[in-house]
């Protein structure tokens, strides 16, 4: 293993100080409560910024001998906070952390001749298999100073307290709603995500003194965020093109706040003049329009951009391939916000979603007029030769593109045609393999266009017929060899479909009737 140099060691410690929660799943966040600098045997008040600066200094030109740091660890579930003290010792290349709790073990980390020496009274496995690998990883990582800090705009302690309170207050009842509505979506993801967003907004509004007279959630989906905020005393409304099953289960005041209406960007008008906050919570095609609508309506906005779309409603076209597609889209929406005259704030939420970067517009730049905003919008629409009335939004009824809407006889004929191609490609009737492109070339234009428009294309068709076909790496498609299944688990279990191989394979099905999942 490569020896660590002292700057790498202190880089890892610097990350550890602020990210202890990454090593302990019971901890939500670490809050530094006090920083003291040690010089000539004396302690004096200091700051996080100075601590960070000294950790990056040349070891031969230190301006102090160490630091003493006070922590407050915020648990995810327990109501009480856990206090801790960290000691940075530059002279001995050592970091110690002591916890005022019997539930967490004290530990120390030292660098000696390029090796990490870790010490704890009992928790040896944690030292070797959790702490040490993380420190080694952090020591080699490249620090991205431009990365948006998690929950950087709110008081983390207040947020954590409120989030736990909202979970205790609402989660069980919301789970019952999901069960009653027989929703197919994951209740835990949606419930905890929207409770976290509600907690974030409430703390943000309080800190910035921008509590809404009323809010409007555009593209509110299941209406969960509207319901929680209403229940917490915040007046607001939710707009969506399609009513959801959950809507009818909410209290009457929430039901009256949920409006089944398409949000057409160029004609949308609020029915409620007291709305002064717009919310775009994973609002798909509306994401880039939220800042535009906020500018037009003179409101603040909160936006969690999700699926990448242009203002035209077309799929987002990449601008910068050197960064991820999501980061590229986020930069695009940020630029739209700036063009709409907002002084844009960014934050990173802690929610169970990969799309958790947030944009906030609380103050508009007085140099940008509504005329400037409209000129920018028309310029953007003009790039794609689309008129003002041609912004493409989703239909009220979602189209199903998974083969279920295609005539069964057409699907069966295509499956059999592809199956016979694979049989003919190899003398061994179970080993036929062909590239997907070669299979597609044998299909007619009518066959290809039919499955492209109705079921997403040939790849979707083959995946849906997984009992017949298998993907063999790359773009190779083969015939799936039937595998015996366990005997039917219950007499109530009934085979519903005929065995494809029994009907169409020249050798029949290699399985006995009791072993096969299909009817022989």
């Amino acid at each position: 293993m490569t020896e660590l140099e002292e700057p790498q060691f202190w880089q890892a410690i610097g990350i550890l100080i602020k990210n202890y929660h990454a090593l302990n799943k019971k901890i939500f966040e670490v809050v530094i409560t006090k920083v003291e600098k040690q010089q000539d045997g004396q302690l004096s008040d200091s700051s996080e910024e100075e601590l960070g600066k000294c950790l990056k200094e040349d070891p031969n030109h230190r301006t102090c001998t160490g630091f003493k740091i006070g922590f407050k660890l915020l648990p995810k579930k327990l109501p009480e906070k856990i206090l801790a003290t960290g000691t940075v010792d530059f002279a001995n290349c050592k970091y110690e952390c002591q916890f005022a709790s019997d539930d967490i073990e004290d530990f120390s980390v030292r660098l000696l001749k390029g090796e990490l020496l870790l010490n704890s009274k009992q928790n040896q496995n944690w030292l070797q298999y959790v702490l040490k690998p993380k420190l080694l990883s952090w020591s080699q990582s490249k620090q991205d100073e431009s990365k948006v800090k998690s929950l950087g705009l709110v008081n983390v302690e207040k947020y954590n307290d409120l989030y736990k309170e909202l979970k205790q207050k609402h989660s069980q009842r919301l789970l019952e709603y999901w069960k009653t509505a027989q929703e197919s979506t994951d209740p835990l993801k949606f419930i905890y995500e929207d409770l976290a967003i509600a907690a974030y907004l409430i703390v943000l509004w309080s800190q910035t003194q921008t509590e809404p007279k009323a809010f409007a959630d555009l593209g509110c989906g299941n209406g969960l965020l509207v319901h929680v905020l209403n229940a917490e005393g915040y007046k607001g409304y939710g707009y969506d093109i399609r009513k959801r099953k959950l809507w009818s289960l909410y209290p009457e005041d929430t039901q009256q706040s949920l409006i089944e209406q398409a949000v057409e960007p160029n004609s949308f008008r609020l029915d409620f003049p007291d709305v002064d906050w717009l919310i775009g919570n994973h609002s798909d095609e509306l994401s880039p329009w939220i800042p535009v609508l906020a500018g037009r309506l003179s409101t603040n906005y909160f936006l969690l951009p999700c699926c990448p779309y242009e203002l035209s409603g077309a799929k987002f076209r990449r601008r910068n391939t050197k960064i991820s597609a999501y980061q590229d889209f986020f930069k695009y929406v940020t630029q739209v916000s700036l063009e709409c005259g907002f002084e844009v704030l960014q934050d990173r939420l802690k929610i169970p979603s990969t799309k958790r970067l947030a944009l906030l517009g609380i103050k508009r730049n007085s140099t940008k007029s509504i005329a400037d905003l409209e000129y920018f919008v028309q310029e953007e629409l003009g790039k794609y030769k689309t008129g003002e009335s041609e912004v493409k939004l989703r239909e009220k009824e979602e189209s199903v593109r998974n083969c279920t809407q295609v005539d069964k006889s057409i699907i069966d004929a295509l499956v059999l045609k592809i199956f016979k191609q694979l049989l003919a490609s190899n003398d061994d009737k179970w080993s036929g393999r062909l590239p997907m492109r070669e299979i597609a070339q044998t299909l007619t234009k009518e066959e290809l266009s039919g499955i492209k428009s109705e079921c997403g294309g040939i790849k979707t068709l083959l995946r849906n017929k997984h009992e017949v076909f298998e993907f063999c790496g790359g773009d190779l498609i083969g015939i799936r060899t039937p595998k015996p299944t366990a005997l039917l688990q219950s007499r109530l279990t009934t085979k519903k479909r005929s065995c494809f191989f029994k009907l169409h394979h020249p050798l029949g099905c290699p399985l006995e009737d009791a072993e096969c999942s299909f009817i022989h």
Side-chain angles (χ1 to χ4, degrees):
M1 185 182 71
T2 306
E3 291 186 355
L4 285 186
E5 296 180 0
E6 189 174 334
Q8 293 175 314
F9 172 75
W10 289 120
Q11 173 178 293
I13 296 302
I15 298 174
L16 170 63
I17 287 171
K18 294 186 177 182
N19 291 273
Y20 175 77
H21 54 279
L23 308 173
N24 189 331
K25 294 181 179 180
K26 295 179 180 180
I27 303 302
F28 172 75
E29 187 68 85
V30 173
V31 176
I32 296 178
T33 57
K34 189 172 185 179
V35 178
E36 295 178 292
K37 182 169 67 174
Q38 185 167 352
Q39 184 66 38
D40 301 325
Q42 301 294 320
L43 288 172
S44 59
D45 289 341
S46 186
S47 65
E48 287 186 50
E49 290 73 22
E50 190 168 3
L51 168 63
K53 182 180 178 181
C54 289
L55 288 170
K56 296 176 183 177
E57 283 182 339
D58 183 338
N60 298 316
H61 299 88
R62 294 284 184 204
T63 56
C64 65
T65 56
F67 284 87
K68 185 177 181 182
I69 310 155
F71 299 101
K72 189 183 290 183
L73 307 183
L74 310 180
K76 289 181 178 178
K77 295 182 179 180
L78 299 175
E80 67 274 7
K81 281 78 175 177
I82 300 170
L83 301 179
T85 302
T87 306
V88 172
D89 183 348
F90 287 130
N92 295 300
C93 243
K94 186 177 181 181
Y95 175 73
E96 291 183 286
C97 198
Q98 297 178 319
F99 300 93
S101 169
D102 295 333
D103 296 328
I104 305 181
E105 188 74 30
D106 299 344
F107 67 90
S108 66
V109 185
R110 187 182 178 194
L111 182 69
L112 184 63
K113 296 181 180 179
E115 295 291 330
L116 285 178
L117 301 180
L118 298 90
N119 186 48
S120 176
K121 292 180 182 178
Q122 300 174 350
N123 218 340
Q124 295 301 313
N125 286 338
W126 180 80
L127 291 178
Q128 292 301 318
Y129 301 112
V130 179
L131 178 58
K132 189 173 184 178
K134 270 293 184 185
L135 289 173
L136 291 173
S137 174
W138 286 337
S139 71
Q140 305 296 324
S141 65
K142 293 182 179 179
Q143 298 302 294
D144 184 0
E145 300 294 339
S146 64
K147 186 177 180 180
V148 180
K149 178 186 175 184
S150 293
L151 303 175
L153 299 180
V154 297
N155 182 301
V156 178
E157 190 172 348
K158 289 181 179 178
Y159 167 83
N160 186 48
D161 288 344
L162 180 57
Y163 178 44
K164 289 190 289 187
E165 181 184 324
L166 293 182
K167 283 197 292 184
Q168 186 174 13
K169 188 175 179 180
H170 297 288
S171 58
Q172 190 57 47
R173 185 181 71 259
L174 295 174
L175 282 169
E176 290 299 322
Y177 287 166
W178 237 266
K179 184 178 179 182
T180 303
Q182 296 183 331
E183 281 281 352
S184 59
T185 50
D186 180 3
L188 294 181
K189 178 190 183 300
F190 280 93
I191 290 171
Y192 290 140
E193 182 172 308
D194 281 4
L195 288 175
I197 294 171
Y200 180 88
L201 285 171
I202 292 170
V203 175
L204 177 82
W205 289 335
S206 175
Q207 280 187 207
T208 56
Q209 297 182 332
T210 58
E211 287 93 343
K213 295 176 183 176
F215 66 85
D217 185 351
L218 307 184
C220 66
N222 56 38
L224 180 57
L225 181 60
V226 176
H227 166 58
V228 174
L229 289 172
N230 283 178
E232 292 302 308
Y234 293 89
K235 181 181 177 183
Y237 311 92
Y239 289 81
D240 203 279
I241 194 170
R242 201 168 52 254
K243 184 177 181 179
R244 309 303 162 87
K245 290 182 284 186
L246 280 168
W247 288 16
S248 61
L249 299 177
Y250 294 134
E252 187 175 346
D253 59 340
T254 299
Q255 290 187 42
Q256 293 175 351
S257 300
L258 297 172
I259 302 159
E260 188 177 10
Q261 175 186 326
V263 179
E264 295 286 351
N266 285 306
S267 60
F268 178 70
R269 295 294 180 269
L270 284 168
D271 299 322
F272 311 97
D274 53 347
V275 168
D276 52 6
W277 269 89
L278 295 187
I279 294 174
N281 175 14
H282 295 138
S283 45
D284 298 335
E285 296 98 327
L286 285 175
S287 289
W289 280 101
I290 297 296
V292 176
L293 292 171
R296 286 173 175 171
L297 299 167
S298 299
T299 69
N300 302 318
Y301 77 84
F302 165 85
L303 173 63
L304 273 174
C306 181
C307 305
Y309 289 93
E310 306 273 353
L311 284 172
S312 66
K315 284 285 188 179
F316 174 69
R317 301 184 186 185
R318 296 290 299 274
R319 272 74 168 166
N320 183 357
T321 56
K322 294 181 180 180
I323 57 179
S324 72
Y326 177 55
Q327 290 172 321
D328 197 16
F329 176 61
F330 188 78
K331 289 186 70 174
Y332 167 71
V333 180
T334 302
Q335 185 59 39
V336 171
S337 301
L338 292 170
E339 293 290 345
C340 291
F342 284 99
E343 296 179 9
V344 183
L345 300 175
Q346 299 181 359
D347 209 346
R348 183 187 298 271
L349 274 59
K350 288 197 171 185
I351 55 176
S353 171
T354 56
K355 309 294 190 298
R356 53 180 176 266
L357 290 178
L359 284 176
L360 296 104
I362 299 179
K363 185 179 179 182
R364 289 195 77 233
N365 189 331
S366 58
T367 62
K368 289 278 187 176
S369 67
I370 295 297
D372 294 330
L373 181 156
E374 297 297 352
Y375 179 80
F376 165 73
V377 169
Q378 293 308 314
E379 284 283 300
E380 282 294 299
L381 294 178
K383 290 178 182 178
Y384 304 103
K385 298 181 180 179
T386 176
E388 183 173 320
S389 61
E390 297 177 18
V391 177
K392 296 180 291 183
L393 297 178
R394 66 181 58 191
E395 300 295 329
K396 183 170 183 177
E397 298 296 330
E398 281 192 297
S399 60
V400 179
R401 303 178 70 245
N402 61 357
C403 295
T404 60
Q405 306 303 305
V406 184
D407 188 287
K408 187 176 184 300
S409 62
I410 297 174
I411 292 295
D412 289 346
L414 282 172
V415 169
L416 189 57
K417 183 175 181 178
I418 295 169
F419 176 70
K420 288 180 178 178
Q421 280 183 257
L422 293 170
L423 279 177
S425 68
N426 195 295
D427 291 337
D428 182 341
K429 298 302 182 183
W430 293 103
S431 301
R433 302 282 187 274
L434 286 174
M436 192 182 301
R437 178 178 293 182
E438 188 172 329
I439 293 173
Q441 287 172 346
T442 65
L443 303 181
T444 66
K445 288 184 178 180
E446 291 75 16
E447 289 170 333
L448 285 172
S449 62
I451 58 175
K452 179 67 176 177
S453 62
E454 295 295 337
C455 66
I458 188 172
K459 190 172 185 179
T460 303
L461 173 68
L462 297 174
R463 285 197 186 282
N464 285 353
K465 289 294 178 180
H466 55 83
E467 71 274 20
V468 179
F469 305 109
E470 65 179 349
F471 286 74
C472 307
D475 68 340
L476 283 179
I477 307 299
I479 298 172
R480 184 179 297 278
T481 304
K483 298 289 193 297
T485 59
L487 293 177
L488 298 180
Q489 296 178 359
S490 165
R491 294 182 180 180
L492 297 176
T493 304
T494 305
K495 299 180 182 182
K496 297 180 179 179
R497 290 188 289 165
S498 298
C499 177
F500 181 89
F501 298 112
K502 181 77 173 176
L503 293 174
H504 302 293
H505 199 286
L507 301 178
C509 179
L511 303 178
E512 296 294 329
D513 183 37
E515 297 177 315
C516 187
S517 301
F518 302 94
I519 300 170
H520 275 206

